[in-house]
Amino acid sequence: LNGFVCFTVPFALAAWWRRRPAFHRRAMMMTAVSLMGAGIARIPVLGDLPYFGDVVPTLFVLAFCVQDWRTTGRLHPVYAWGLPLFVAMEVLSQYLVGQQPAWWVAAARWMIGA
């Protein structure tokens, strides 16, 4: 769910904003960063560290925000909205994996057709 939302939403927005280069570029960066977790999880040493695959992409987005702030003197709206939503999805996914509430297990089974 996290990968789907954190990839699909910025990708769709980037497609929508393709004629607005500043918005498009930042949305594509958020899209690319959302894919990092799967790659990090496959690194033998790093993949075993808890939350490492979630923390590193978030740190990249935070670095993008800092770089944007330093170069333009303000935080672009894509990052201003994207970073909190990105972090919220990470927290929500960790909650769902850790607690496994019954409603989520039923919804997940429905989504995969089990």
Side-chain angles (χ1 to χ4, degrees):
L1 180 66
N2 184 28
F4 179 73
V5 171
C6 287
F7 174 82
T8 306
V9 171
F11 185 75
L13 289 172
W16 181 264
W17 290 327
R18 65 187 178 275
R19 300 211 194 296
R20 298 174 72 183
F23 283 78
H24 175 79
R25 178 177 54 249
R26 287 168 177 89
M28 286 305 293
M29 292 302 289
M30 295 286 290
T31 301
V33 166
S34 73
L35 298 173
M36 287 178 67
I40 290 170
R42 286 170 176 78
I43 299 172
V45 175
L46 301 178
D48 295 334
L49 297 173
Y51 307 115
F52 195 77
D54 297 330
V55 171
V56 171
T58 304
L59 290 176
F60 268 86
V61 174
L62 187 59
F64 297 155
C65 292
V66 169
Q67 192 272 342
D68 207 36
W69 183 274
R70 291 184 67 202
T71 57
T72 64
R74 65 181 180 85
L75 187 60
H76 196 275
V78 171
Y79 291 146
W81 284 94
L83 180 63
L85 294 174
F86 198 80
V87 171
M89 282 304 298
E90 295 293 346
V91 170
L92 176 64
S93 67
Q94 290 302 320
Y95 167 76
L96 293 176
V97 167
Q99 299 298 318
Q100 297 182 358
W103 64 269
W104 173 248
V105 172
R109 285 190 177 138
W110 175 80
M111 283 187 262
I112 64 172

